[in-house]
Amino acid sequence: MAGNINPFSSLERNEPANDAKPEALVPDARRPWQHRTAGALLIAGPMIFLPAEFIAAAAWTDPPYSYTYHFISNLGVHGPSTLFGQHMYSPLAWVMNTGFFLFGITILAGVATLRGLPGRHRWAALAPATLLAAGGVLLGLFPGSGEAMNATAK
């Protein structure tokens, strides 16, 4: 049998259960709101982007927008324009560009709000999220057009 078995629990002896502080056992115990905020932002990004994409695609009627043929970035082109053999005219391009922009901002804010990840793991999450956010913001601010591409080719 074991040598020093005490039948009384540490609480009955008025002793702490262990020497570690509660913050050391669970580093994020004091900041659950940050995880909820991060989760809400990471869910809000796609919840903003997907309806914007659906609305912009539904408004594109002549010819109808095709998810298998057209590039998704075409939804942000005001047009009418032609590039790579694709006719681009999105009547609600501003909706898609706003969706791209807000998606990028909310994803970056959600990942930046995460706390408690070890240093290299935090950067492993922040680096691609920053690139994703930058892409969304830039695509929303500078949607492009076929004319710009054709002008540089001449």
Side-chain angles (χ1 to χ4, degrees):
M1 303 239 32
N4 294 333
I5 297 178
N6 188 340
F8 298 104
S9 72
S10 60
L11 292 175
E12 292 169 347
R13 292 181 304 208
N14 293 327
E15 296 175 5
N18 63 29
D19 295 334
K21 294 180 181 179
E23 294 85 20
L25 293 175
V26 183
D28 295 331
R30 297 177 295 168
R31 296 179 270 169
W33 63 270
Q34 288 178 330
H35 292 286
R36 285 193 292 269
T37 302
L41 288 167
L42 291 172
I43 290 171
M47 296 304 289
I48 291 168
F49 177 81
L50 291 174
E53 176 188 355
F54 179 76
I55 291 167
W60 184 327
T61 57
D62 187 31
Y65 179 79
S66 170
Y67 284 99
T68 58
Y69 177 71
H70 292 99
F71 300 123
I72 194 167
S73 59
N74 291 358
L75 290 172
V77 177
H78 298 286
S81 183
T82 302
L83 183 64
F84 302 123
Q86 295 184 4
H87 177 73
M88 297 178 282
Y89 175 66
S90 182
L92 294 180
W94 68 271
V95 172
M96 191 68 240
N97 291 330
T98 303
F100 283 133
F101 181 82
L102 293 176
F103 173 77
I105 295 298
T106 55
I107 293 299
L108 181 62
V111 173
T113 305
L114 288 174
R115 302 271 191 229
L117 291 175
R120 70 172 190 256
H121 297 292
R122 181 174 164 84
W123 287 109
L126 265 178
T130 303
L131 293 174
L132 178 67
V137 169
L138 289 173
L139 190 56
L141 294 176
F142 305 103
S145 69
E147 288 78 27
M149 185 73 149
N150 290 335
T152 58
K154 290 180 182 181

